[in-house]
Amino acid sequence: MQLPGGVWELAAIPAEGWEQEPGNTSSLRITILVAAAVVIIPIFLTGGLVSERQRNRAKIRARESELLTVSHRLNLALESSKIGIWEIDLETQGRTWDERMYHLHGMPAETVEPTYEAWRRTVHVDDIKAASLSLFRTLDEGLEYRSQYRVILPDSSVRHIRNVGSTHEGPDGKAKITGISWDVTDDVLMTEQLRAAKAMADLKNEELAQAKDRIEHNALHDPLTGLGNRRMLDKELQMLSGRNGLVDVAILHIDLDRFKQINDTLGHAAGDAMLVHASEILRSNIRKNDIVARIGGDEFVIVVSDPPSDIYLSQLCERIISQMRQPVDYNGFPCRFGVSIGIAVARETAVDERKLLVNADIALYRAKENGRNRHEFFTEVLQAEIITTKRIADEILEGIERNEFVAWYQPQLEASSLKLAGVEALIRWNHPREGLLTPDKFLKIAEEMNAMATLDRIVLDRALIDGMRWAAEGIDVPKISVNVSAKRLRDETLVNSLKGLSLRPGQISFELVESIFLDESDDVVLANIEGIKKLGIDIEIDDFGTGHTSIVSLLKIKPKRLKIDRQLVAPILRERSEQALIRSIIEIGRSLGIETVAEGVETMEHAEMLGLLGCDLLQGYAFAKPLSADDFSRFARNQLLQLAS
Ligand code: C2E
Ligand code: CA
Ligand code: CA
């Protein structure tokens, strides 16, 4: 732009493609005053007109002084901004540089002709082409010249130079390019630093994003198996329940059977390997949109979205069960475990994820109860049973507090004399609404809720009190047998809890079901049995003949009596083989010094046969059903009368 008075303003206005250079942000705006005014002094020598000459001289001096001022200002501006000025004569290609141009290019001032070749030698080889091209284009097309290149200075350092120029006609009428060059090294370096800093920041951001992903992944996944964890499951289920509209979904609650034994016997590394193996089976059996999560030690959940049918779910479970049952080798040990699966399905309903999980859990519980390695669907019937069980469980606790549990007694008689030899105390529940309940109505639930130890103790205490009452009435009951649940026998505090009782040896007998002795390695059980015996309490093995007691464990436990199970007693009148079996049991007992009691003796014929076979004691409906304490004392008094008559 030409300013009034012949002064040029050349501003380093960013051209296209330059804007990316942050160096430009400094938006160097340098106003350069180019003195374009060339003063042509017309000297009119008008002979004899001195006053005219003097006027003209004065004018010239004024112009010269004006010019000096402008050029001084220009120099000052150029000096302070370190801008070099150059010129190329378009006709001759001759170049003119000012002192600063030499300095900018690291050349000794004025010693070298600023030819194209001389300039070229200073420029970084990689930049020569682009800088030359833009110069040639300006030369050819008369366009504005803009370039930036690097100069290698004598000390090998690099200087970045930016150039702007334009063609114009000089005062001598010749076409030229006049331009300016200045040092932008600081800008470029700053730009590079900014770029590096930005790249670093980008890298850090990337790392942070990755770390965030990793943390999120870890928070939602099980590190061992890589499956989702409980939180992930909750999140997914919440999403499902939050979904608008009706949803079809099934939840499979999967629990490994026998996993604890593997962990206990082969160690945690084996356990871990099995969990990984199990997780692979589960993963390989699900579809793309299904989710599998490990929600506990050996518990998993699969969320099946849009299950095609219940048959599909059954087949899926059976596939998983059969694959899980295949033995897995662990360091040469074949490991076997099974799996039980509970299924809860929601079809075309808004999903209540918590309820669905609970339902799957209920179904799983049923699958385990029904023998493991199987799957069960949650049903309304199952739910009703669960509700009943829950109600009974609550009522059992209330019943304990309100003394509703009592002992009934079934007499045991000597086979040879039919004299009263003892009683078996059997629990009964005086239920406030349903009347007298037998153990089949509540015992299982009491066992599940760990109330059996309490109930056994109630019966024992009752029996001891009733025993004292009978003695006071003159009725001699030589022994009272009470049943002891398996859990109570595994209770380490059992012996201590019995120590306060003052018992006559043999007055109390503990009936232990045969199945307790299946696990011969149970040290607590063996220690408890020893402790019980030391307190003068006899041990009887209940339901003998239905379990798998070995002679070895019989020798170890040395019970006082074997109670032959009523399933073996019932057929003795018909089957000779059954008679032989009973005789063998009795003989084995005799040889080991163990008495035998036959239970379920329903007729006198049975009683007679058992007597002949050598059985010591008899118990059964042939003599009496279980009786309340009062009824028993009446029975015992009658019996005494009968024996006396
Ligand atoms: P059990 O120990 O085998 O008790 C004998 C069961 O057989 C009793 O049933 C009794 O009523 C029944 N019984 C007696 N004589 C005959 C007969 O001639 N024929 C037939 N068919 N049955 C006869 P109950 O009282 O219903 O007890 C059932 C089971 O409940 C008991 O079987 C015992 O395992 C358990 N039980 C009872 N009371 C207690 C207890 O206080 N604690 C523990 N832990 N279990 C108990
Ligand atoms: Ca019993
Ligand atoms: Ca029995």
Side-chain angles (χ1 to χ4, degrees):
M1 165 198 221
Q2 188 157 24
L3 296 173
V7 175
W8 288 79
E9 182 191 82
L10 287 178
I13 300 165
E16 252 187 279
W18 283 36
E19 279 97 328
Q20 289 99 340
E21 292 180 32
N24 256 357
T25 51
S26 62
S27 202
L28 173 67
R29 183 176 174 89
I30 306 155
T31 307
I32 304 179
L33 300 170
V34 176
V38 175
V39 180
I40 304 163
I41 311 165
I43 306 170
F44 299 107
L45 291 172
T46 52
L49 286 172
V50 178
S51 62
E52 182 71 12
R53 205 184 300 148
Q54 278 171 338
R55 255 201 321 278
N56 282 341
R57 273 208 192 112
K59 260 188 192 171
I60 289 167
R61 268 200 299 277
R63 288 273 178 94
E64 277 175 347
S65 135
E66 213 174 284
L67 185 60
L68 267 175
T69 311
V70 170
S71 120
H72 175 72
R73 284 180 190 161
L74 175 64
N75 252 331
L76 193 67
L78 291 173
E79 196 57 57
S80 62
S81 59
K82 298 208 168 47
I83 287 174
I85 295 200
W86 47 270
E87 217 165 61
I88 302 174
D89 186 318
L90 290 189
E91 257 172 50
T92 62
Q93 301 290 315
R95 289 156 191 254
T96 319
W97 280 13
D98 72 355
E99 210 178 301
R100 283 174 295 268
M101 279 299 283
Y102 284 96
H103 175 75
L104 279 173
H105 288 77
M107 293 200 241
E110 317 288 352
T111 52
V112 189
E113 268 288 292
T115 57
Y116 173 72
E117 281 308 320
W119 166 81
R120 219 187 120 106
R121 273 197 296 278
T122 65
V123 178
H124 191 293
V125 282
D126 293 346
D127 296 352
I128 292 173
K129 198 173 165 196
S132 301
L133 272 178
S134 66
L135 183 64
F136 295 153
R137 203 173 301 133
T138 308
L139 291 174
D140 290 347
E141 300 168 22
L143 298 174
E144 187 179 64
Y145 171 65
R146 280 173 181 270
S147 73
Q148 185 173 318
Y149 52 77
R150 283 167 290 175
V151 163
I152 307 294
L153 298 175
D155 67 356
S156 304
S157 62
V158 175
R159 173 175 290 156
H160 294 258
I161 296 180
R162 186 169 295 164
N163 314 277
V164 179
S166 61
T167 49
H168 66 101
E169 200 175 298
D172 52 1
K174 290 179 180 173
K176 307 176 172 197
I177 309 176
T178 301
I180 54 167
S181 303
W182 71 100
D183 184 345
V184 292
T185 309
D186 287 350
D187 285 358
V188 170
L189 288 182
M190 189 174 295
T191 307
E192 275 170 9
Q193 279 170 4
L194 282 172
R195 241 183 233 143
K198 185 174 177 294
M200 182 67 86
D202 287 350
L203 193 73
K204 281 266 169 306
N205 276 344
E206 175 68 16
E207 281 174 3
L208 276 176
Q210 280 174 4
K212 188 171 158 276
D213 287 353
R214 217 170 31 244
I215 290 167
E216 259 172 25
H217 184 273
N218 288 350
L220 295 177
H221 288 80
D222 164 38
L224 176 65
T225 61
L227 299 178
N229 60 14
R230 176 99 220 183
R231 274 187 62 194
M232 192 251 232
L233 177 71
D234 288 346
K235 230 173 115 184
E236 292 291 336
L237 289 176
Q238 262 165 23
M239 255 162 58
L240 266 183
S241 62
R243 230 200 264 173
N244 282 335
L246 308 178
V247 175
D248 274 13
V249 67
I251 287 191
L252 275 54
H253 192 168
I254 299 157
D255 190 293
L256 302 188
D257 299 328
R258 283 181 41 80
F259 173 74
K260 196 178 169 302
Q261 280 101 311
I262 292 177
N263 233 0
D264 290 350
T265 52
L266 293 178
H268 285 282
D272 284 357
M274 293 310 111
L275 288 172
V276 171
H277 172 75
S279 70
E280 275 158 11
I281 291 177
L282 297 179
R283 210 185 261 128
S284 67
N285 274 292
I286 61 167
R287 298 172 307 172
K288 206 169 92 250
N289 292 331
D290 299 344
I291 294 155
V292 54
R294 179 177 171 220
I295 59 161
D298 58 351
E299 278 181 63
F300 302 84
V301 163
I302 294 180
V303 182
V304 184
S305 45
D306 296 318
S309 62
D310 282 2
I311 292 174
Y312 168 84
L313 292 170
S314 278
Q315 287 169 345
L316 170 64
C317 290
E318 287 310 313
R319 221 168 40 234
I320 291 172
I321 290 167
S322 90
Q323 288 173 17
M324 293 267 194
R325 292 186 76 171
Q326 302 305 314
V328 198
D329 180 81
Y330 179 76
N331 290 346
F333 291 99
C335 296
R336 283 174 186 280
F337 57 89
V339 65
S340 305
I341 307 178
I343 310 167
V345 190
R347 285 205 191 279
E348 299 196 344
T349 55
V351 169
D352 176 347
E353 83 275 3
R354 286 219 339 234
K355 195 165 159 227
L356 210 54
L357 264 179
V358 169
N359 290 353
D361 194 33
I362 289 170
L364 169 66
Y365 187 74
R366 180 50 57 94
K368 280 179 174 289
E369 244 183 2
N370 286 354
R372 297 168 188 264
N373 275 319
R374 57 191 298 136
H375 70 275
E376 291 290 338
F377 280 88
F378 175 82
T379 61
E380 294 305 317
V381 175
L382 191 55
Q383 172 144 44
E385 280 176 30
I386 299 295
I387 291 171
T388 310
T389 304
K390 168 86 177 70
R391 180 177 51 78
I392 293 175
D394 291 343
E395 287 178 0
I396 288 174
L397 293 178
E398 285 166 19
I400 290 172
E401 275 176 23
R402 296 196 211 127
N403 285 330
E404 288 168 10
F405 291 95
V406 295
W408 279 38
Y409 303 93
Q410 188 171 29
Q412 293 176 339
L413 286 79
E414 268 176 22
S416 52
S417 62
L418 294 186
K419 265 172 55 185
L420 183 69
V423 290
E424 177 179 5
L426 294 156
I427 192 161
R428 294 293 182 265
W429 184 3
N430 280 320
H431 194 277
R433 281 192 320 277
E434 294 173 43
L436 191 77
L437 297 181
T438 46
D440 51 307
K441 305 284 191 309
F442 60 87
L443 221 59
K444 213 168 124 228
I445 298 170
E447 248 159 37
E448 281 163 13
M449 58 189 280
N450 283 335
M452 263 332 284
T454 310
L455 294 182
D456 281 357
R457 180 68 203 218
I458 289 172
V459 171
L460 174 64
D461 291 343
R462 281 275 181 167
L464 288 170
I465 293 168
D466 288 335
M468 285 193 290
R469 256 187 42 214
W470 298 325
E473 288 171 23
I475 301 165
D476 177 31
V477 181
K479 70 145 184 130
I480 302 175
S481 300
V482 296
N483 294 278
V484 173
S485 62
K487 267 223 178 87
R488 193 171 181 219
L489 201 62
R490 294 206 171 90
D491 176 1
E492 291 182 13
T493 64
L494 172 65
V495 175
N496 261 340
S497 74
L498 299 169
K499 276 190 177 147
L501 306 170
S502 59
L503 304 172
R504 166 175 54 77
Q507 178 189 354
I508 295 290
S509 232
F510 277 3
E511 293 192 12
L512 314 175
V513 279
E514 194 183 0
S515 55
I516 292 174
F517 309 110
L518 273 179
D519 187 2
E520 291 173 24
S521 63
D522 197 326
D523 294 339
V524 178
V525 169
L526 291 178
N528 271 346
I529 289 173
E530 281 315 303
I532 290 164
K533 283 186 184 168
K534 281 205 184 100
L535 293 172
I537 297 171
D538 286 338
I539 300 293
E540 297 184 17
I541 296 188
D542 205 354
D543 302 345
F544 189 78
T546 56
H548 302 87
T549 318
S550 65
I551 302 288
V552 178
S553 55
L554 268 190
L555 284 170
K556 220 192 266 176
I557 296 155
K558 291 202 195 70
K560 175 85 176 169
R561 297 178 194 91
L562 297 179
K563 290 194 75 177
I564 305 168
D565 193 76
R566 57 181 175 275
Q567 287 177 63
L568 302 183
V569 171
I572 51 167
L573 296 181
R574 288 177 275 118
E575 306 280 343
R576 293 192 72 81
S577 59
E578 299 291 325
Q579 285 175 21
L581 181 61
I582 298 234
R583 185 182 293 122
S584 318
I585 292 173
I586 292 167
E587 273 166 12
I588 289 170
R590 282 236 170 99
S591 66
L592 295 171
I594 302 170
E595 293 174 18
T596 44
V597 186
E599 59 177 16
V601 183
E602 295 194 346
T603 64
M604 289 313 287
E605 287 78 28
H606 281 86
E608 213 169 303
M609 172 65 80
L610 288 158
L612 287 173
L613 291 170
C615 196
D616 299 302
L617 303 181
L618 305 174
Q619 173 183 351
Y621 296 168
F623 309 105
K625 292 198 165 177
L627 306 164
S628 67
D630 289 343
D631 285 348
F632 171 75
S633 79
R634 268 189 287 279
F635 167 88
R637 274 197 300 271
N638 271 345
Q639 233 229 350
L640 277 176
L641 288 176
Q642 275 174 23
L643 287 176
S645 61

